[in-house]
Amino acid sequence: MPLKKFTQQQQSDLAGYCRTNELHEDLQVRRERVHHYRRLVFNVVNDSLQSAFPLTKNLLEDKIWDQLVHQFFSAYKPQSPQVWKMPGEFYEWFSESEQPLRGEFPFIDELLQFEWMEVVLFMMEDIPYPESQKEGNWMDSTIATNPEFRIIQTNYPVHLRKAATIQDADKGDYFILMFREKDTGRIQFMDLSPFFAVVVDNIAHGADLRSVLLALQEQMPQTSLLELQENTIPLLEKLKDKGFITGFKE
Amino acid sequence: MKKQIGIGFRKDFAEDFLSGNSLQPTFIELAPENWMGIGGYWKKILQEVAEKYPITSHGLSLSIGSPEDIDRDFLKQVKNFIKTYNIQIYSEHLSYSKCDNAHLYDLLPIPFREDAVHHISKRIREVQDFLGMKLAIENVSYYTPVAAEMSEIEFINAIVDESDCNLLLDVNNVYVNAFNHQYDAKEFIQKLPLNKVAYIHMAGHEQVEPDLIIDTHGQDIIDPVYELFDFTTQLIQPVPVLLERDFNIPELDHLQAEMDHLEYITDKNWKKLYATEKIHTATTV
Ligand SMILES: [Fe+2]
């Protein structure tokens, strides 16, 4: 015997009430108690979003934040059975929906993206590190990098400034390298110049430094390869100290 | 069966737990949803825990009471997790947490109705067939019945009978429900299919209104619940017993003291039965 329409409807009405706060008059429950379910469900969703997006939560007034969570939960149907992944769905929903908050905080999507990327990197499954040796030649060896990384591009310095202080004048081209430290699992992030972002992105995808710099040099004929090399290698040394560059292959 | 007193593993106390020895469970319980498909810091912790302790699992998102179909992809992941960590008990709540294709991440009460019994029993069988092991279904706390046409005890019995699943008996939940819906807790326990109990949960709760208790897992176990546990353990064979503490987590030696008290009661009632009773928690379907 399949589930009857009536039973199904009762379940749907109760779940719908928890998500939207709209109580259907046909729902057969104890009215004075059913609100606890709405409260409990809302708390779980709210807690999970707050822990994923502490900076965004901090930026917004409590009332605005609560409205946003409510709006999300009533409009959107979370698909992941793993609650820690739900904030990623929130971020996607937010970036695809009309949000007047963007008027006041034009960087809010990028802030959410930055915060969500930190969660993704912290939680994601381990990726095997490439084999590498400590010593090598920057220009001619293949550089081995931490495989657990992302580079994101933003128009606002959400990684450098307290969100509430970011202004229109800060608008620019920002690149953020984020990676997971091998031993501690902690997430590091670093601001990269547009030039260096191209270098890092390419070497992280297996290109050797010489060919990356030669390609870049073609776009800046006034600069010599040697100059580029001298500017780049200290930055790479720094990435090696920080554990993003793990060594050299062969 | 050997004596087994476990603790619900929480990220909040993971570090203290692993670095000290004030908490000494014989096993730990995890929600697969929080630990599968992850890497990095928590994966290392998971591996460390798995090396030291046997693991039982207590799911959150299977949503056995959902009107819609079982999520096979999700179940596949759970199966994998169970296999990887050699998990002997997979338990879930007799409730629903997904409806109209939306996860709610909390436990909603199922209508106690005939058609729901058949529907859910079929789903439990499907899960058991897929996993190749029995599911232990937990009696949940609920704050309002939903369009009920039978009692809670009739509902649970009908499902256990029709699906041939095991029962995770949450003694605190019986206490909470007896208080909230004004029935006799001991009588309720006596009417349960006690030969199917494969696992016991114990926890604290919070009274929020004169006639309403919420099952928060945020307080100590209260004496009447210990007493109900004492009563229950006299009626059943030894099974693993778990302390659940999800919020408001005290010092770990405080949790150990609660576990010691549970052990004291189980020793009193089960000592003669330990080792003579064959393990029936890991029965294959
Ligand atoms: Fe429980």
Side-chain angles (χ1 to χ4, degrees):
Chain A
M1 182 170 71
L3 200 58
K4 286 182 182 158
K5 260 244 117 73
F6 172 81
T7 307
Q8 214 168 322
Q9 194 58 49
Q10 289 289 310
Q11 293 193 261
S12 173
D13 286 350
L14 177 59
Y17 164 68
C18 292
R19 291 179 45 231
T20 64
N21 210 19
E22 282 163 32
L23 190 55
H24 201 281
E25 58 180 24
D26 294 336
L27 180 59
Q28 295 178 25
V29 290
R30 289 183 64 168
R31 299 273 141 165
E32 79 285 9
R33 285 187 177 176
V34 73
H35 67 96
H36 287 289
Y37 282 106
R38 160 75 181 166
R39 177 175 65 80
L40 293 166
V41 166
F42 188 84
N43 284 348
V44 173
V45 172
N46 195 19
D47 286 351
S48 168
L49 291 173
Q50 283 193 23
S51 71
F53 303 117
L55 304 178
T56 310
K57 163 76 178 69
N58 238 328
L59 175 71
L60 304 177
E61 276 174 49
D62 290 351
K63 207 179 90 192
I64 306 287
W65 170 267
D66 284 352
Q67 276 170 7
L68 190 60
V69 176
H70 169 71
Q71 193 197 354
F72 163 68
F73 201 48
S74 43
Y76 182 83
K77 297 182 170 187
Q79 294 298 298
S80 177
Q82 297 181 271
V83 69
W84 72 265
K85 289 184 177 167
M86 184 266 290
E89 297 186 49
F90 173 87
Y91 162 62
E92 269 174 40
W93 164 82
F94 185 92
S95 57
E96 283 161 17
S97 61
E98 289 276 329
Q99 291 294 343
L101 278 173
R102 279 189 197 104
E104 193 179 347
F105 307 113
F107 53 86
I108 192 166
D109 294 78
E110 294 180 347
L111 185 60
L112 287 168
Q113 183 193 12
F114 176 58
E115 295 197 88
W116 176 239
M117 213 37 78
E118 187 175 352
V119 177
V120 169
L121 282 166
F122 186 72
M123 294 296 287
M124 73 182 191
E125 290 190 77
D126 298 339
I127 301 175
Y129 274 58
E131 276 192 41
S132 65
Q133 53 217 31
K134 273 210 169 103
E135 303 306 323
N137 182 299
W138 283 114
M139 288 301 274
D140 298 312
S141 314
T142 307
I143 298 167
T145 55
N146 179 329
E148 296 167 337
F149 81 103
R150 295 281 192 282
I151 295 174
I152 59 174
Q153 183 181 4
T154 65
N155 292 312
Y156 292 91
V158 291
H159 56 308
L160 299 175
R161 301 272 301 273
K162 196 162 181 260
T165 68
I166 296 174
Q167 293 167 344
D168 272 345
D170 296 318
K171 204 167 174 193
D173 274 327
Y174 298 94
F175 293 85
I176 316 168
L177 168 66
M178 307 175 75
F179 61 95
R180 181 159 81 191
E181 280 182 357
K182 193 177 187 186
D183 295 333
T184 65
R186 272 199 305 246
I187 306 307
Q188 291 259 13
F189 63 88
M190 279 178 74
D191 180 61
L192 305 179
S193 68
F195 169 82
F196 198 48
V198 174
V199 175
V200 173
D201 193 32
N202 277 289
I203 61 166
H205 288 97
D208 63 276
L209 186 58
R210 184 179 299 278
S211 51
V212 176
L213 292 184
L214 278 171
L216 284 164
Q217 196 225 348
E218 272 180 34
Q219 297 161 34
M220 343 180 201
Q222 72 284 16
T223 319
S224 72
L225 181 64
L226 191 65
E227 272 176 89
L228 288 182
Q229 192 179 325
E230 281 172 352
N231 283 327
T232 307
I233 290 175
L235 295 171
L236 294 176
E237 298 275 10
K238 200 171 152 199
L239 285 184
K240 195 165 173 233
D241 290 344
K242 291 221 167 216
F244 177 70
I245 289 174
T246 53
F248 302 88
K249 298 181 203 169
E250 75 255 5
Chain B
M1 167 190 133
K2 284 192 301 190
K3 186 184 330 188
Q4 290 189 46
I5 312 279
I7 184 101
F9 187 67
R10 305 291 309 176
K11 289 179 176 173
D12 316 63
F13 62 63
E15 269 180 42
D16 284 352
F17 173 51
L18 288 169
S19 62
N21 52 9
S22 42
L23 193 56
Q24 299 195 318
T26 42
F27 70 97
I28 60 119
E29 182 196 86
L30 300 174
E33 288 81 352
N34 294 338
W35 298 92
M36 60 193 195
I38 63 164
Y41 178 78
W42 290 118
K43 178 71 179 279
K44 284 199 187 102
I45 295 279
L46 171 61
Q47 280 166 338
E48 200 179 329
V49 163
E51 274 165 26
K52 289 185 181 164
Y53 302 95
I55 296 176
T56 63
S57 68
H58 189 45
L60 297 168
S61 293
L62 177 65
S63 194
I64 202 70
S66 277
E68 53 239 65
D69 290 340
I70 295 271
D71 180 345
R72 284 293 183 124
D73 289 337
F74 167 71
L75 205 54
K76 239 179 251 172
Q77 276 182 279
V78 172
K79 187 174 183 173
N80 217 346
F81 186 81
I82 287 173
K83 201 174 147 213
T84 307
Y85 295 99
N86 188 25
I87 289 169
Q88 302 295 313
I89 297 180
Y90 176 44
S91 60
E92 254 288 358
H93 304 87
L94 187 51
S95 64
Y96 70 111
S97 58
K98 184 186 183 192
C99 193
D100 301 320
N101 196 30
H103 280 280
L104 289 111
Y105 309 109
D106 212 345
L107 311 172
L108 303 188
I110 302 165
F112 301 148
R113 302 177 70 85
E114 185 80 36
D115 57 326
V117 168
H118 302 314
H119 173 73
I120 293 166
S121 300
K122 202 173 135 225
R123 287 162 62 84
I124 294 176
R125 283 184 174 277
E126 185 187 334
V127 172
Q128 295 186 144
D129 287 346
F130 185 83
L131 296 178
M133 71 193 288
K134 286 207 182 189
L135 196 57
I137 282 294
E138 180 182 30
N139 59 305
V140 295
S141 299
Y142 66 106
Y143 312 117
T144 167
V146 184
E149 62 175 16
M150 61 174 82
S151 67
E152 183 194 354
I153 191 72
E154 288 168 325
F155 186 70
I156 294 174
N157 270 286
I159 285 186
V160 171
D161 184 49
E162 196 172 316
S163 67
D164 192 28
C165 64
N166 284 331
L167 189 64
L168 157 52
L169 173 52
D170 189 312
V171 176
N172 176 59
N173 289 350
V174 174
Y175 180 88
V176 168
N177 290 340
F179 181 89
N180 288 344
H181 308 291
Q182 295 173 320
Y183 60 69
D184 186 276
K186 287 184 179 169
E187 214 174 282
F188 182 92
I189 284 176
Q190 280 170 319
K191 286 183 186 161
L192 283 170
L194 293 174
N195 58 334
K196 293 297 186 81
V197 175
Y199 193 17
I200 286 185
H201 272 181
M202 284 287 285
H205 57 243
E206 191 178 351
Q207 186 166 350
V208 295
E209 286 163 31
D211 64 345
L212 185 71
I213 291 175
I214 300 280
D215 174 31
T216 52
H217 299 177
Q219 311 285 327
D220 292 354
I221 300 169
I222 61 166
D223 286 344
V225 176
Y226 278 121
E227 201 203 306
L228 200 54
F229 176 70
D230 190 351
F231 174 82
T232 306
T233 47
Q234 290 173 43
L235 302 176
I236 63 171
Q237 297 292 327
V239 294
V241 174
L242 183 99
L243 172 64
E244 297 183 284
R245 183 68 177 248
D246 298 343
F247 299 103
N248 198 14
I249 293 169
E251 296 294 318
L252 295 186
D253 48 8
H254 187 91
L255 292 179
Q256 183 61 45
E258 285 192 288
M259 289 170 54
D260 289 345
H261 196 59
L262 293 171
E263 186 176 343
Y264 165 78
I265 295 169
T266 54
D267 273 356
K268 178 166 80 74
N269 296 326
W270 287 346
K271 199 151 206 172
K272 285 189 194 133
L273 297 166
Y274 284 139
T276 59
E277 180 61 17
K278 66 179 192 311
I279 299 168
H280 69 287
T281 51
T283 353
T284 321
V285 176

